[in-house]
Amino acid sequence: MSETSSPESSLVEHLIELRARLVRALLGLGVVLLGLMPFSQKIYTWLAEPLISKLPLGQSMIATNPAGAFFAPLKLTFFVAVFVAVPWLLYQLWAFVAPGLYAREKRLAVPLLVSSVLLFYLGCAFAYFLVLPAVFHFLTTFRPEVIAITPDANAYLDFVLAIFFAFGSSFELPVAMVILTLLGWISPQQFKEGRGYAVVGIFVLAAVLTPPDVVSQLMLAIPMCLLYELGIHAARWLVPRPAPGASAQ
């Protein structure tokens, strides 16, 4: 009498595989975190450079909380570890879901995953090397002379992480547009026709996600407008074309 796998046993196998992937993901993240811990002070110094370079000579950050000077670098190191380990974490996710995908879905999922990671990294690099220096230059230049800037270490970290998340996630716009097109929800032609509304929405979103200064808002809105155009072309290239004579039926 042959035995076939029951739905219950299949579910248990999936749960065991999920647990194994989660353990591997956490172990990989832990290895990266342990490797970065000795450099936590240098990492925070590197992150603070865009602001420190704009402050008056000899001025630095403060810690309003006695433990802030200790926990801020540790908190940053954890986020940097997650940032570095993203490819490994996504690989574990991919290894779990890939067996259930069709061949065409696999061919599309891999470029989308790689593109999303690269675009997120590009958004964070754009924020660090271009946006933060411009924002801090604007904020320190156009402040009243009677106001001294003494940034708190934790407040600065939260501010910069929010900027990184805003720019990193906003740079995912082309990937989101391609996914919407592949799902059949919006066509490339509809993206093209709605360009004017999209530009207005982008500027509104930039005003919400960035600090209340014109510099950072423009530096987020303009790249997003360019990425919107890129998303239109990518969606047009990937959208399945109807077979010849299909429209005649």
Side-chain angles (χ1 to χ4, degrees):
M1 183 174 176
S2 62
E3 294 183 359
T4 59
S5 60
S6 63
E8 290 80 4
S9 62
S10 178
L11 176 61
V12 171
E13 292 175 358
H14 284 302
L15 291 176
I16 293 175
E17 174 69 13
L18 177 61
R19 183 183 65 180
R21 293 296 171 185
L22 287 174
V23 170
R24 293 174 186 174
L26 292 176
L27 285 176
L29 177 60
V31 169
V32 175
L33 180 60
L34 289 176
L36 292 175
M37 284 295 292
F39 308 98
S40 59
Q41 304 296 330
K42 292 183 178 179
I43 294 174
Y44 193 93
T45 301
W46 174 77
L47 185 72
E49 178 59 27
L51 176 57
I52 297 299
S53 61
K54 306 300 180 184
L55 293 178
L57 186 63
Q59 189 172 344
S60 61
M61 293 187 183
I62 63 172
T64 56
N65 187 327
F70 174 77
F71 285 109
L74 295 182
K75 179 180 176 181
L76 173 62
T77 304
F78 172 76
F79 282 104
V80 172
V82 174
F83 184 81
V84 173
V86 161
W88 171 252
L89 300 177
L90 288 179
Y91 170 75
Q92 296 303 320
L93 175 63
W94 169 253
F96 177 72
V97 302
L101 299 178
Y102 294 107
R104 181 176 181 273
E105 293 173 336
K106 291 180 181 179
R107 288 196 302 269
L108 292 174
V110 172
L112 288 176
L113 282 174
V114 173
S115 300
S116 64
V117 173
L118 292 179
L119 285 172
F120 188 86
Y121 285 168
L122 180 62
C124 292
F126 182 83
Y128 179 80
F129 290 105
L130 296 177
V131 177
L132 290 180
V135 169
F136 294 140
H137 175 75
F138 176 84
L139 295 177
T140 55
T141 301
F142 295 97
R143 65 176 176 86
E145 292 295 333
V146 295
I147 299 178
I149 298 179
T150 54
D152 175 69
N154 273 302
Y156 174 79
L157 177 59
D158 293 339
F159 174 81
V160 172
L161 289 178
I163 291 291
F164 281 172
F165 179 78
F167 277 81
S169 58
S170 298
F171 271 51
E172 302 287 338
L173 180 60
V175 176
M177 294 172 65
V178 169
I179 292 175
L180 291 175
T181 300
L182 292 175
L183 292 174
W185 294 356
I186 304 179
S187 67
Q189 184 61 29
Q190 289 174 316
F191 279 125
K192 185 177 180 180
E193 294 173 353
R195 182 185 287 114
Y197 298 102
V199 170
V200 174
I202 286 172
F203 273 87
V204 172
L205 182 64
V208 173
L209 294 179
T210 58
D213 65 275
V214 178
V215 176
S216 59
Q217 293 172 11
L218 289 176
M219 295 187 75
L220 177 58
I222 293 175
M224 284 189 68
C225 291
L226 298 176
L227 290 170
Y228 185 85
E229 296 297 325
L230 176 63
I232 292 177
H233 291 291
R236 186 180 299 157
W237 180 63
L238 290 174
V239 66
R241 290 176 173 80
S247 58
Q249 294 180 355

